[in-house]
Structures are given as structure tokens and as C-alpha cells.
Amino acid sequence: MNLELSEEQSAVRDLARAFTEREIAPYAAQWDRAESVDRAIVKKLGAVGFLGLTVPEEYGGSGGDHLSYVLVTEELGRGDSAVRGIVSVSLGLVAKTIAAWGTEEQKRSWLPRLCSGDALGCFGLTEPGTGSDAAGLTTRATREGDSYVVSGSKMFITNGTWADVVLLFARTNDEPGHRGISAFLVPADSPGLTRREIHGKLGLRGQATAELALDGVRVPASAMIGPEGKGFSVAMSALAKGRMSVAAGCVGIAQAALDAAVSYAAQREQFGKPIAHHQLVQELIADISVDVDAARLLTWRVADLIDRGLPFATESSTAKLFASEAAVRAASNALQVHGGYGYIDEYPAGKLLRDARVMTLYEGTSQIQKLLIGRARTGVSAF
């Protein structure tokens, strides 16, 4: 792997950094307090091309490689992980899945709108009773003529109240486990689909997270994406790449923690000199720095494998596991550098820690990642 960025990749990173400094970072604390990101950011993300990365230009995308996508995701995560999540879900989980699995009609219908920011997508997999055990989902889609009638509920759905389309996973037959699951593209304004935003979250407070209820939602058979009964494969292929996106966002959080800790340590004086001169503070900063570099390299490796067409699922789990845990450590260490001031939201350390904590939970908990890695290395099924 060549660790030197191309001119195009460097330009993309510079663009993302400038965009983040101008459009995101100045408002992150305000959005966190209000528990709502300014919806106008979506169109801005679309206009600059960040919602169409890696999607072919013929469908309204921006093209580019997966390392460029990782670089952008890291910068967005550095500014505000709530905004990073908008992109990771609408583009990373939904638009990329449509590009990979969709019919030509589905691609033409949804991708130009998703890539421009005229529409957003959400990923309807998790349910109130099924998180890590995604194959145990109970939402049901029953065939009636040329349509399916869907009933059930989904929980903790990022972009849930903002989305225009739900990539929904439902059981279409009585086969056990994952074999009975199919995937559908369900317009969010479909009769019978109601959405309730979840407030009071520990972190990612600016992100629209929702519970979805489906009561007899009728969708045409043409809304199915991928073959019937293969919805679990659709979901897992999306999550394998999605874990790379989460890892990149975690690198951004850890980098923001490093930046904040170094800046504060240079300004804060104790015992007659800036605390940056004290070796135990330097140790905290060194620990953050090592976590940033290691997480970044693991994440870049995943992007490199994808761009070269090589297997990447285990490496994606590895990056997600390490980077998410590293982001928590980095934010916690940054808070320690700030001392008591880190505990108030005038400084960024507390928000970084709150935002980092959920990264060890969603798109596969740290424990699930360990099971996946262990199964891959031993050849023994973990389930």
C-alpha cells in the first residue's frame, strides 16, 4: 500500500477540511445543545459532492475512490460526528447499496436525489428487540398480488425523521434466521409509516435518530432490492463497508481530541508554566497521538483493499473495533488534559467523549467485531 496521497486525494481532503472549518465546526456545540443539526447542511454536503462519493457520475455521483471517501469522512467526524453520520448512512449504507444491488430503475430513481442532497436515506435494520441479532428481526412483508404489505417497527434509525427513503429489511417467508429476510426501498411518506424522533441521547445529539412504525405499508414488488430472501446479504455487504466509514469518523473524533488537548496544554498554566511542559500531560497526549495514527492506518488499509478489489470484511471489523475504542480513549484522555474545564461544554472534550461512546455500539458492537474477527481467523463459526 502506498501511503502517499495522490494530488486528487490531497485536494479532496483539503476541500473537506475547509468545508468542515467553515460549515460545521463553528456550529457543532450549538447543534449539540439544541439536539438538532441545521437541515441546510444536507444541501451543502450535496453541493460539494460529499453525498455522492464513489457513486458513478452517470447516476449523479461524484465518483472517486474509497480512500477519498475515508478522508472526507474523517474530516467530517473531526468537525461533528452527527454530520458525519448523515453522510455515512445516506451515502455509505443506502446510496452505495442501491448502486451495488439496485435495478437500473432504482438507480435512476434514487441515486441522483441522494447524491445531490435533494433526498436522504436511512437504514432500517435494527428493531426494538433485535440489535446484534439482526437475523432475528420480526418486521414482516407479506406478498399480495404485485405488492408487499409491511408491518413492524425499527429502532435507533439514523436520519429516520429526515429520510425520504428507507432501506428496509423485513421477513418475507417463514425460513429461519437470515434466509427469510428481503430488502426493500420504501418511500418515507408511504401511508402507514410513522416516525418518532428519539431525544435525550448521550451523544450524537444533533443527529436525527428515530423509531419507525410500519402498519400495513404497501410497496410494489419492484421496490425489492436484491433477490427475495437475500436481504441479509444486502445488509451485511452494506455494513462491511459501513464499518470502514464509522472507523474513519472515529479517527476524526480522535484527531479532534488530539488537537484540543495540544491546544489547551499550550495555553493552560499550572506550577508556573504551561501544562504541556509536564511529562504526565505529555504522556496523555502521546497516548492520543498513537491511537490516532494506528486507527488511521487500519482504516486506510480497508479503503485500499476495497479499491483494489480484494477481500476486506475482516479488516473492516478490525478497523472499526480498534478505532471506536481508540476514539473513546482519546476523548477521555483529552478530557483529563482539560481537567475540570473538560467537564463543561465550553470546551469540546466532553462532547467528543459522548459522541465517541456510541461508536463501540452501532453498526456492530465491539463484542460482535471480536466474534467476526475470531471466526475469520479460526474458521469456527461464532454463531
Side-chain angles (χ1 to χ4, degrees), residues 146-160:
D146 293 331
S147 301
Y148 284 87
V149 178
V150 187
S151 293
S153 59
K154 300 293 177 178
M155 192 66 171
F156 303 128
I157 307 301
T158 300
N159 295 345

Side-chain angles (χ1 to χ4, degrees), residues 127-200:
E127 297 185 354
T130 57
S132 295
D133 182 18
L137 66 83
T138 60
T139 295
R140 188 84 186 187
T142 304
R143 185 72 183 252
E144 292 187 2
D146 293 331
S147 301
Y148 284 87
V149 178
V150 187
S151 293
S153 59
K154 300 293 177 178
M155 192 66 171
F156 303 128
I157 307 301
T158 300
N159 295 345
T161 52
W162 285 16
D164 301 275
V165 61
V166 184
L167 176 52
L168 186 84
F169 299 89
R171 194 165 296 283
T172 50
N173 61 55
D174 293 325
E175 289 193 59
H178 63 84
R179 289 186 294 274
I181 296 171
S182 300
F184 299 87
L185 293 171
V186 180
D189 60 357
S190 298
L193 174 57
T194 57
R195 303 179 279 178
R196 179 185 69 84
E197 189 159 334
I198 299 169
H199 293 286

Side-chain angles (χ1 to χ4, degrees), residues 54-90:
T54 75
V55 175
E57 294 180 12
E58 64 178 298
Y59 297 113
S62 312
D65 58 17
H66 284 82
L67 183 53
S68 295
Y69 172 63
V70 161
L71 295 170
V72 170
T73 306
E74 178 184 329
E75 291 300 322
L76 296 177
R78 184 176 62 84
D80 188 351
S81 203
V83 175
R84 188 276 314 162
I86 294 172
V87 177
S88 290
V89 172
S90 190

Side-chain angles (χ1 to χ4, degrees), residues 24-37:
I24 299 174
Y27 311 105
Q30 172 186 332
W31 293 339
D32 182 66
R33 295 183 190 116
E35 294 194 57
S36 180
V37 166

